[in-house]
Amino acid sequence: MASRRARRRYRRRCARKLRAKRRSPRLVCVDPRTLPPRPSSVCRYCWRGPFAAHLTLLPDPSAPISDDTTVQYSYSRPWYALQYCANAGCSWCQRLVEYVRPPHCGSLRIPWKCKLQIRIESAHDGDYTPNGARYFKYRCIRPRTGSPYAAVMMGFHVVLAMEGDPASAFIPTRPLVVNVGSPHTLALAQGCLHDCMSSHERCRGLALEPHSTPLPTRLIDCTDPRRPRLIHTAGGFGEYVALSYVWGPGIQPQRTTIDNLSTYLDHIELAQLPQTIRDAIHVAYSLGFRLLWVDSLCIIQDSREDKHREMAHMRRIYRNASLTIIAASAPDVAEGFLQERPAPKVVYTLPFPCSTSFEPQHAPGQLATRPARVGTIHFTHTGDYMYVKDPIHGRAWCLQEILMSPRSLIFTSRTLQFRCQTTTFNLGGAFHRTSWDDLRLPDILFDLKPIRLPHGSERWRDVWMAWGRVLQEYTLRAVTFPSDKLVALAGLAEDFHRILDTDYLAGLWRSNILLDLLWKRDTFSFRSSQSRSFCRPPAYRAPSWSWASSEVPICFHRQPEYAEYQAMAEVINCETQLADETLPFGEVIGGSLVLLAPLIRCMAVGDTHQNTREFIELRIAVRSQPHSGGDTDAGQHDHDPSYSGWSTFFGHLDADGEDLCCANGSKPELWLALMVLRKHVPRNSDFVECLLLVPALPDEGLQGSGPDGRGSRRTFRRIGHCVVWEPTFEAVGCRGQLDSPDLTEFEII
């Protein structure tokens, strides 16, 4: 009896505190006196507290707008009260109890009177679609017994409402569209396409008029989707749709050849086509298009001349298409992409008080006095909306197809997306964050007229920076044939060349060759941890100073905090030898780079064969006497009294360590070429970006040397990238190499 009176007193005291509490001026709260009848799934305390504040999901539209759009609501409850309400059927208290003490931690003892601090918040920024979508998060802070620290439990969810529910008037997010091939979904896609063409100013400025859009050489006529046929366009103009997909292993049985060309011009047996192409015909017809371009049918596959001619125009085919259908979910051309997707799991459901007449004109913090109804909102895991690596994202050839397409309809493994130069969003109003996986080319690359920007100008630098972002995405993908590493990027390289107006050297640009040489292995991207091998290809593909010589995903130090730099090296000469002089952006068979830069000798720490993955541990001898310059030979100082120890650091390997495997078991001779001195603004410290080199073998020099020959210069091969901070040079007594470096001329092949 006494305990019940104590709990009643406690609830009354908490209610007084809640009424006296100053609510956030960014929240729209309902007056507890005008709340609708409380549903049985929520306790009285929660209904008059966080639910009256709409769980922070309705920010006050009249509140000042700032970059921080996070809205918070905090309150506290003792553990016994939370458990009591959870046992009585309160769904929100049940969620908090389950989160504070999960089922698998049943033996966890929490003090009876332990007071939990509960904070719920929601956030929104410009990357979220649809407009007004919010990201829900809650925290439970539980003090630990006998410790000044607190245990913090956090939950992240996407909140949505079903169409037609009262809450849908206030919660704009809807469930993911899983039936991607239904007539309703394709009608939504058609509406998105028309909205883009009519209301997106940026996209309209890049689009071509239908009467001036040149058609590819051949197209599939989908006027009768049950009896498609191949047609010759004879240099005509009009609208068409392109398909981007993964071929899969082997050769497609249904493809255009010299023998069946005449038959396909009459008709193509729909039942014999792979499912992906049949689905593309259905989608194109449903969207109101008559013509479809598919590479396996619109290019004569056994004609070298036709393939050479059509592949040279590949970028224009996707650039001029009104829409590109991207079969992202299909791992093989026979799989198709219109299957129904699995629906995301709803984690929990809560009631939501909805004003029948929402008026956003009230003053900040003013209570809404309109009567309200009760809707229902659903919470799902954020992982269901994050970036997913579909099969098409692992194919290098498909990158230029999506980047050069002004508009794309992406059939992902979870839902259907629409992408254009203005935005990317999930159809049907599902939650999407564009910054997770969005990469777009600068608008200037879509201009058909050649534009030459002044070298070093801000716009020129923006285009060059965009090339680095393209390489970061491209190197995450794989090619079936190793020799296609540069060929699959040739279309994009040609477009960038029109703007940058400088020589293209095996994936690098001559005007900024010194900074382009500083690519390094990307070890932080979650997509770079895939299980494929990162060894160098068995046959020569590119000089070692080019990223195309390896299979690793790459990145650059091009963030704003690394903008300031001082060149320590000078490029004397850089040349490449093309496999075909008519393809300046294609395959190379040789290359040479001559540098004038400081060289420092270093050694690998420990067993050489242990440094065979992403990193290598290196060391430089520490001098007990100052050293003004000259090469530091780390291999001959074990008994030199002027050396007192070693300074160690780490470097990134360009491949999985095969460059460090010596046939005789000895440790390799390693050198650091000091390239650029940068200032790290946040740390107010300098660091040097270096290339990690090994001497080239005689037979490597014969294949990879440039047209000028090696002469008497030392020849090296790049195997990695290092960052050495200024204190390391001071520790080893080589600070003079930064102030007045001793330069050496050498060649990298």
Short mmCIF file of all heavy atoms in Angstrom, two decimals, residues 176-198:
data_model
loop_
_atom_site.label_atom_id
_atom_site.label_comp_id
_atom_site.label_asym_id
_atom_site.label_seq_id
_atom_site.Cartn_x
_atom_site.Cartn_y
_atom_site.Cartn_z
N LEU A 176 9.35 1.43 -48.64
CA LEU A 176 10.05 1.15 -49.89
C LEU A 176 9.11 0.47 -50.88
O LEU A 176 8.32 -0.40 -50.52
CB LEU A 176 11.26 0.25 -49.65
CG LEU A 176 12.49 0.89 -48.99
CD1 LEU A 176 13.52 -0.18 -48.68
CD2 LEU A 176 13.09 1.95 -49.89
N VAL A 177 9.22 0.86 -52.13
CA VAL A 177 8.48 0.20 -53.20
C VAL A 177 9.18 -1.12 -53.52
O VAL A 177 10.35 -1.13 -53.91
CB VAL A 177 8.41 1.10 -54.45
CG1 VAL A 177 7.78 0.34 -55.61
CG2 VAL A 177 7.61 2.35 -54.15
N VAL A 178 8.50 -2.21 -53.31
CA VAL A 178 9.12 -3.52 -53.52
C VAL A 178 8.64 -4.19 -54.80
O VAL A 178 9.35 -5.03 -55.37
CB VAL A 178 8.86 -4.44 -52.30
CG1 VAL A 178 9.56 -3.89 -51.07
CG2 VAL A 178 7.37 -4.59 -52.04
N ASN A 179 7.44 -3.86 -55.28
CA ASN A 179 6.94 -4.42 -56.54
C ASN A 179 7.34 -3.47 -57.66
O ASN A 179 6.55 -2.66 -58.15
CB ASN A 179 5.42 -4.58 -56.47
CG ASN A 179 4.88 -5.44 -57.61
OD1 ASN A 179 5.64 -5.89 -58.47
ND2 ASN A 179 3.59 -5.68 -57.61
N VAL A 180 8.61 -3.58 -58.08
CA VAL A 180 9.18 -2.59 -58.99
C VAL A 180 8.66 -2.72 -60.42
O VAL A 180 8.84 -1.80 -61.22
CB VAL A 180 10.72 -2.69 -58.98
CG1 VAL A 180 11.27 -2.36 -57.61
CG2 VAL A 180 11.18 -4.09 -59.41
N GLY A 181 8.04 -3.82 -60.76
CA GLY A 181 7.56 -4.00 -62.13
C GLY A 181 6.07 -3.83 -62.29
O GLY A 181 5.55 -4.05 -63.40
N SER A 182 5.37 -3.39 -61.26
CA SER A 182 3.92 -3.24 -61.35
C SER A 182 3.57 -2.04 -62.22
O SER A 182 4.35 -1.08 -62.34
CB SER A 182 3.33 -3.08 -59.95
OG SER A 182 3.73 -1.85 -59.38
N PRO A 183 2.37 -2.02 -62.81
CA PRO A 183 1.94 -0.84 -63.59
C PRO A 183 1.93 0.44 -62.76
O PRO A 183 2.26 1.51 -63.27
CB PRO A 183 0.54 -1.23 -64.06
CG PRO A 183 0.54 -2.73 -64.05
CD PRO A 183 1.40 -3.13 -62.91
N HIS A 184 1.54 0.34 -61.49
CA HIS A 184 1.52 1.53 -60.64
C HIS A 184 2.92 2.10 -60.46
O HIS A 184 3.13 3.32 -60.55
CB HIS A 184 0.91 1.18 -59.28
CG HIS A 184 0.98 2.31 -58.29
ND1 HIS A 184 0.23 3.45 -58.40
CD2 HIS A 184 1.74 2.46 -57.16
CE1 HIS A 184 0.51 4.26 -57.39
NE2 HIS A 184 1.42 3.68 -56.63
N THR A 185 3.91 1.23 -60.22
CA THR A 185 5.28 1.69 -60.03
C THR A 185 5.84 2.31 -61.30
O THR A 185 6.49 3.36 -61.27
CB THR A 185 6.17 0.53 -59.57
OG1 THR A 185 5.64 -0.03 -58.36
CG2 THR A 185 7.60 0.99 -59.34
N LEU A 186 5.59 1.68 -62.45
CA LEU A 186 6.09 2.24 -63.71
C LEU A 186 5.38 3.54 -64.06
O LEU A 186 5.97 4.42 -64.70
CB LEU A 186 5.92 1.21 -64.82
CG LEU A 186 6.75 -0.07 -64.66
CD1 LEU A 186 6.51 -1.04 -65.81
CD2 LEU A 186 8.24 0.26 -64.55
N ALA A 187 4.13 3.69 -63.63
CA ALA A 187 3.45 4.98 -63.81
C ALA A 187 4.11 6.06 -62.96
O ALA A 187 4.23 7.22 -63.39
CB ALA A 187 1.97 4.84 -63.48
N LEU A 188 4.52 5.70 -61.73
CA LEU A 188 5.26 6.64 -60.90
C LEU A 188 6.57 7.04 -61.57
O LEU A 188 6.96 8.22 -61.55
CB LEU A 188 5.54 6.03 -59.53
CG LEU A 188 4.37 5.84 -58.57
CD1 LEU A 188 4.85 5.14 -57.30
CD2 LEU A 188 3.75 7.18 -58.22
N ALA A 189 7.26 6.06 -62.17
CA ALA A 189 8.52 6.35 -62.85
C ALA A 189 8.29 7.29 -64.04
O ALA A 189 9.10 8.20 -64.28
CB ALA A 189 9.17 5.05 -63.31
N GLN A 190 7.22 7.08 -64.76
CA GLN A 190 6.91 7.95 -65.89
C GLN A 190 6.63 9.38 -65.42
O GLN A 190 7.06 10.36 -66.05
CB GLN A 190 5.71 7.40 -66.66
CG GLN A 190 5.46 8.08 -67.99
CD GLN A 190 4.34 7.40 -68.76
OE1 GLN A 190 3.45 6.78 -68.16
NE2 GLN A 190 4.38 7.51 -70.07
N GLY A 191 5.94 9.50 -64.30
CA GLY A 191 5.70 10.82 -63.75
C GLY A 191 6.98 11.51 -63.30
O GLY A 191 7.14 12.73 -63.50
N CYS A 192 7.91 10.76 -62.70
CA CYS A 192 9.20 11.34 -62.31
C CYS A 192 9.98 11.83 -63.52
O CYS A 192 10.63 12.89 -63.47
CB CYS A 192 10.02 10.31 -61.54
SG CYS A 192 9.30 9.81 -59.96
N LEU A 193 9.94 11.06 -64.60
CA LEU A 193 10.64 11.46 -65.82
C LEU A 193 10.06 12.75 -66.38
O LEU A 193 10.81 13.67 -66.77
CB LEU A 193 10.54 10.33 -66.84
CG LEU A 193 11.21 10.56 -68.19
CD1 LEU A 193 12.71 10.79 -68.02
CD2 LEU A 193 10.96 9.39 -69.13
N HIS A 194 8.75 12.86 -66.42
CA HIS A 194 8.11 14.08 -66.94
C HIS A 194 8.40 15.27 -66.03
O HIS A 194 8.62 16.39 -66.53
CB HIS A 194 6.61 13.85 -67.07
CG HIS A 194 6.25 12.90 -68.16
ND1 HIS A 194 5.02 12.29 -68.25
CD2 HIS A 194 6.98 12.43 -69.21
CE1 HIS A 194 5.00 11.49 -69.30
NE2 HIS A 194 6.18 11.56 -69.90
N ASP A 195 8.40 15.07 -64.70
CA ASP A 195 8.72 16.16 -63.79
C ASP A 195 10.14 16.67 -63.99
O ASP A 195 10.39 17.88 -63.95
CB ASP A 195 8.53 15.71 -62.34
CG ASP A 195 7.07 15.51 -61.97
OD1 ASP A 195 6.20 16.02 -62.71
OD2 ASP A 195 6.81 14.83 -60.96
N CYS A 196 11.06 15.73 -64.21
CA CYS A 196 12.45 16.13 -64.44
C CYS A 196 12.58 16.95 -65.72
O CYS A 196 13.26 17.98 -65.75
CB CYS A 196 13.35 14.89 -64.50
SG CYS A 196 15.08 15.22 -64.88
N MET A 197 11.92 16.50 -66.77
CA MET A 197 12.02 17.21 -68.05
C MET A 197 11.35 18.58 -68.03
O MET A 197 11.75 19.48 -68.77
CB MET A 197 11.40 16.35 -69.15
CG MET A 197 12.16 15.09 -69.48
SD MET A 197 11.36 14.14 -70.80
CE MET A 197 12.59 12.87 -71.12
N SER A 198 10.37 18.74 -67.16
CA SER A 198 9.60 19.98 -67.19
C SER A 198 9.97 20.96 -66.09
O SER A 198 9.87 22.18 -66.29
CB SER A 198 8.10 19.66 -67.09
OG SER A 198 7.82 18.96 -65.88
#
